[in-house]
Structures are given as structure tokens and as C-alpha cells.
Amino acid sequence: MQEWHNSNSYIHLKSKQCTRHLGLLLNCSVPLLKMSGPRYKCTLSEELLDKAVRELKEPRDNEKRLEAIDKLRDAFKEKYKNYTLIREDDEFILRFLRAKKFDHDKALKVLGNYHYSRKDLPEVFERVENPALLKDTVAIGYVYVLPHKDKDGVSVMIYRDGLLTDDVDVYSLLALFMLGLERMLEDEAFQIDGLSIIEDMKDLSFKVIVKFTMSVMRKMMFMIQDAMPIRYKLMHLVNEGTFYDAMFKMIKPFLKKKMKERIVLHGTNFTKLHEQIDPEYLPGYLGGTGGDPIEAAIKWGEELCEWKENPSTAL
């Protein structure tokens, strides 16, 4: 396949194919014009663009950026013929390139996995697409994103495992997590700066742990590590206690080396956590002076569901 690109469209030349729509009688190749819609225009601040160029190998020149986007879009259509791109816009394709530092092959693999995971875990994505199903999960108030980033500009998501009851639905937990990631990925700064997680394991119920079967765990870790265009940074575990060993034993076979290296155990000492995240923004149970965490989590979850139902809504 040969390709020509310009800033508004791209043309595919396919061998051994006739375009009956044009009424041509020759059994030959004919260029087909496909409009790709409005093209991406870089509006990043100089500081953020410099970081993307330095850390992600993103082209500073927008034409070269668009070439990389078109190449990835076309490669997906050629390799994954059983899937239809969920979105074809430049902004969507670009996040996969950024997540893999503009390595075409790695970005293509994640883009393919992204589509595969929606078939592999339909229980999760049925809930993502129907946020009304997440109402009870949102009301728990167990997960939210801090309104301020850490000292490296990284977004921080907080989990409180101890708030989960024994009858909690694991697919709804995963769906709320995925919905949060999808919304955050709409922010270019998030794509570039990445995500850190604080997981508070205090009062975690063993009955909740066993709900995550090996099958669910395998699919969950594949989805998180291999099928989302996210730059994961640090995984802060606090109040991990005796349950950590049991939980880590379950999850270890599915953890990539890089993810293992980014786990930080704090126990009940939050000194190092405060070195990374200003206590002013952390909740009281993490030694901070921030607002009520349950109230913040419920509000965040409700806004996520509202955004999914009305994508023009800003968080």
C-alpha cells in the first residue's frame, strides 16, 4: 500500500481493486479519497511541549506529528481488520503515541489491545457506556482524583479499599476506574505528565479480595497495563498491613517489571508521601488538611457519569 498525506485528507491506493462506484471498467487500482476531519493543532504551552519533546520524543513540528498519527491510524486498519476504530480523530490516536514515546509498533499494539479489551471484559464496558449502572458504586465514595497534582505535575488518584463492602460488584469498580481514565485522557497535560495512585488498604475485607478471581485479575491487569494509553508513575500503598502479602501474591504473576518497581510501601508513615504530594491537598487520614474525601469522591464520580452522558461537560 502506498500513501499520500496532506493536512486535511489522505489518499489510499489499493492494488487489485476496482471502484464500481465510479463506473470504471478497468481492473486496476484507483485512488480513494477519505476525509479525516479537522486536523490536530498543537496548543500546548511551551513548557509542556518541551517536556513532550524531551520525554516522549514527540515531534515539535506539527506536520511530522500528523504523519505519525496518520501512519498509526492506517496501520491499525490494516492489521486489525476485525475491529472498527472507536474514534478516528487525531486527538484520540495521538494519546497512544504519547503513551509509548512515539514508538509506532508499541503504540499500535496498545491501540489494538484497547479495542480487544472491550470484547474481553464486556461486563466492565457495558457499565462504562451506561453510567447509570454505576450509581451505587459512586455513592460508596471510595475513589477520586486530587484537585491538585503532585510536585512533578503528575495527577493523583486515591483509593480507599476499606470502604468497599462484601457485596460490592467488582465489574462496577473497574468500570468506574476506566471511566475516570477515559475522562482524564481528554486532557493533553495528563497524557504527558501521567498518573500516580494512592491505595489505602486499611480495613480491606478478605471477602472483597477473593472477589477478584485469577481470571478477573488477569483481564484487569492486561486492561490496565497493556490496553490503556496511560503513563503510570508511582503506586503508593498505605496501611498495607498483613493483607498486602496475600494480595501481592495474587497480582504478582500479572505485574510487569516496571510496575513492580514503581510500588512504594508507606505503611503508616506518610513522610515520604508528603515529600511527593503537598499535605495541603491530601485528606486527613493521610496526614493532610484537604477536604472531606468521601464528599470529594462522590462529587467526582457524579461528574464523571454526567460527562459520559454529555461529553461537552467539563470536570
Side-chain angles (χ1 to χ4, degrees):
M1 180 183 295
Q2 299 176 352
E3 302 175 2
W4 291 267
H5 299 278
N6 60 37
S7 62
N8 294 308
S9 62
Y10 57 94
I11 301 173
H12 291 292
L13 183 61
K14 298 183 177 181
S15 61
K16 299 181 181 180
Q17 182 178 9
C18 292
T19 49
R20 298 175 183 174
H21 300 293
L22 296 178
L24 297 179
L25 300 178
L26 296 176
N27 185 18
C28 60
S29 301
V30 179
L32 299 178
L33 181 66
K34 180 174 180 181
M35 302 303 295
S36 60
R39 302 312 307 262
Y40 173 83
K41 294 181 180 179
C42 184
T43 58
L44 298 175
S45 66
E46 278 300 317
E47 180 181 2
L48 202 55
L49 178 57
D50 287 343
K51 184 175 183 178
V53 172
R54 182 177 65 254
E55 296 185 10
L56 308 184
K57 301 178 182 179
E58 181 161 342
R60 190 177 294 275
D61 179 74
N62 198 49
E63 287 301 317
K64 292 182 178 179
R65 186 187 287 110
L66 292 176
E67 287 176 8
I69 290 171
D70 288 341
K71 181 182 177 182
L72 182 56
R73 184 193 289 112
D74 291 347
F76 176 88
K77 292 180 179 181
E78 181 64 27
K79 183 173 183 178
Y80 298 98
K81 297 183 184 298
N82 292 332
Y83 297 118
T84 300
L85 269 173
I86 292 175
R87 286 172 52 183
E88 294 211 20
D89 55 281
D90 292 346
E91 288 77 6
F92 177 72
I93 302 297
L94 179 56
R95 63 188 59 172
F96 290 89
L97 288 164
R98 284 174 171 160
K100 292 303 171 184
K101 299 183 178 180
F102 276 74
D103 183 308
H104 171 82
D105 292 337
K106 291 181 179 179
L108 177 59
K109 186 174 183 179
V110 176
L111 183 57
N113 290 343
Y114 178 90
H115 288 74
Y116 168 79
S117 68
R118 278 144 179 76
K119 292 183 178 294
D120 193 39
L121 274 171
E123 305 92 339
V124 171
F125 292 98
E126 286 170 3
R127 290 163 171 78
V128 171
E129 295 303 320
N130 298 279
L133 300 174
L134 300 176
K135 182 178 179 180
D136 291 341
T137 307
V138 168
I140 298 172
Y142 79 101
V143 58
Y144 71 108
V145 173
L146 291 178
H148 297 274
K149 299 183 178 183
D150 73 7
K151 294 179 180 178
D152 293 323
V154 176
S155 296
V156 181
M157 183 180 282
I158 298 182
Y159 286 90
R160 293 184 72 185
D161 297 337
L163 295 180
L164 303 178
T165 57
D166 296 346
D167 61 348
V168 72
D169 179 71
V170 294
Y171 294 118
S172 292
L173 296 180
L174 293 175
L176 185 57
F177 174 65
M178 295 305 293
L179 182 57
L181 293 185
E182 291 287 359
R183 178 61 186 90
M184 296 168 77
L185 279 167
E186 293 298 307
D187 177 13
E188 289 192 86
F190 174 75
Q191 297 171 18
I192 295 168
D193 292 328
L195 173 70
S196 286
I197 294 173
I198 301 175
E199 185 165 2
D200 179 13
M201 301 181 70
K202 185 178 181 180
D203 298 326
L204 172 60
S205 167
F206 184 73
K207 290 183 178 180
V208 172
I209 293 178
V210 297
K211 282 180 174 287
F212 289 87
T213 65
M214 295 301 283
S215 175
V216 170
M217 191 71 74
R218 176 185 60 80
K219 293 180 179 182
M220 178 184 76
M221 295 312 299
F222 173 81
M223 178 177 67
I224 292 172
Q225 295 181 114
D226 300 303
M228 288 299 291
I230 305 288
R231 298 189 70 204
Y232 294 105
K233 296 300 183 176
L234 296 176
M235 178 70 176
H236 301 279
L237 298 183
V238 300
N239 298 313
E240 58 270 22
T242 57
F243 273 141
Y244 172 73
D245 291 336
M247 198 164 185
F248 187 72
K249 186 176 181 180
M250 291 174 60
I251 202 172
K252 184 178 179 180
F254 311 113
L255 273 178
K256 291 188 172 181
K257 181 181 178 182
K258 185 178 290 187
M259 290 290 278
K260 291 177 185 176
E261 293 173 346
R262 293 180 177 179
I263 295 175
V264 183
L265 304 180
H266 295 278
T268 58
N269 186 336
F270 306 138
T271 302
K272 290 186 178 180
L273 184 66
H274 293 173
E275 291 175 359
Q276 189 68 29
I277 306 168
D278 194 324
E280 179 183 352
Y281 308 125
L282 289 171
Y285 69 89
L286 292 177
T289 57
D292 182 276
I294 294 181
E295 181 180 308
I298 292 175
K299 180 182 178 182
W300 184 74
E302 290 175 344
E303 289 176 342
L304 280 181
C305 294
E306 182 181 352
W307 166 76
K308 183 62 179 179
E309 293 172 346
N310 180 17
S312 63
T313 303
L315 288 182

